[in-house]
Amino acid sequence: MTASGTILVVDDDAAIRTVVAQSLRRAGHNVTTAATLAELDVQLAIRLPDVVISDVVLPDGNGLDRVARLTAEHPSLPVIVLSAQNTLSTAVRATEVGAYDYLPKPFDLDALSRAVQGALARRQGAPLEAIDEDDNTLPLIGRSPAMQDVYRVIARVVSNDLTVLISGESGTGKELVARAIHDLGTRRRSPFVAINMAAIPRELIEAELFGHERGAFTGAQARSAGRFEQAAGGTLFLDEIGDMPMEAQTRLLRVLQSGEFTTVGGARTIRADVRIVAATNRDLAQLVGGGQFREDLFYRLNVVPVTLPALRARRQDVALLARHFLDKAAESGLPRKQLAPAAIVALENYDWPGNVRELENIMRRMAVLSRDERIDADEVRAMLGAAATAPTIFEGDPGIEAAVRSRIERLAREEPAALDNGSLYDRIIGEVERPLIEAMLARHGQNQLRAARALGINRNTLRKRLDLLGIDPGAGRSAEAEAR
């Protein structure tokens, strides 16, 4: 049975006040409304509610500033913040001022109802130390629903030291999320140290992480501090954690369990005073199932999971990101360029196998090579090349090996940066994966269970790939029905 309470809704939009009030009253709550901060004060003078729901931008002031006062004056009063300013700084600021929850507009009424029930069940603690960051200095950009979920998780973890595991395709910005967690958190005045597990020889990973003593191995002519020591007091970002060798996994697990480590060749115990943020573009759960990753380490790292969406899953952010990258290019001395509306449409229609990193590279290239100040759609399509029409790599080639080699040669001619920008693996695999999955669905009458079994993956993994690739199995059924 759900609890009921008195709810005060503050929003200058009469339609939102009405819809929210009616929804909460149907759930059994006693609801009053206010359109301004002045009306809020009047209602608070009459009676202190159990929960306050407040917009940010109000006619007579900033709702977040008022929330800060409310939570200071009434620490046990939970406040749920609603905002159309769907940026990371808004989400973080809402948490800083002590808001119980933050919901970006447009919000789901069921989500609001759940937030109200949670607020009635427990009370929010003291506000965090204020920080003077703004959106122009924050590394993450985007206002899509997919990014709102990411912002909300970040806002929840910046005030604590919980271990975070960031997953997502290459080029989605996993290190940017790690830096945001560090820069907005309590350890921001201490070092942020990043290490890429895939870029270090297996035999040197332990020495890189934990340091080594003089003479610990051939070539160790002096003591060297490892990344754990270098990041003392700050954040250690373990990128591509799925590529960590099993021996190093075992030692990392011991450090996470005990909070202490020793250098390679050393005997003195050193306290590990770091926050761990890890990232991977691989399915760690699948690696665990295959015996390639320790299950106990996976659970130690996966305390707070953050899943970064592919750029094709947040197409409404493409225009915002593209303009941002053109502005950055201009600030670095490149010619200032603008995008025509049709050019933005062309960018949004592209699947971006290299994700945000690929988009940034394309925008920098456009800034250099575009002749006119205004970039049109034809220039965008020409720059994207054959990939903009999404051909498969199989065209004109008899076998997969020959097709892959041919595709790489074509990229070397038409888009040489693709061979060096870190997107090549995901790009080629993505081009193979789509026709493979579509062919197996067609072979098995669009039955996902049978197609997954034939592919050797579980049904949930197949569903995830269908969503990521934008494949609609229902479309195949419709086509078959029309053919019959």
Side-chain angles (χ1 to χ4, degrees), residues 44 48 66 68-79 124:
L44 291 175
L48 190 68
R66 190 67 181 88
R69 284 176 50 199
L70 268 178
T71 53
E73 295 167 0
H74 309 284
S76 63
L77 174 63
V79 181
Q124 177 71 13

Side-chain angles (χ1 to χ4, degrees), residues 159-199:
S159 62
N160 54 61
D161 273 346
L162 294 176
T163 302
V164 178
L165 178 62
I166 308 165
S167 59
E169 298 178 10
S170 290
T172 49
K174 296 185 288 295
E175 183 168 347
L176 294 181
V177 172
R179 286 189 177 275
I181 291 171
H182 173 79
D183 292 343
L184 298 170
T186 57
R187 292 177 176 265
R188 59 185 174 275
R189 294 182 179 88
S190 297
F192 174 90
V193 176
I195 179 171
N196 189 318
M197 296 293 109

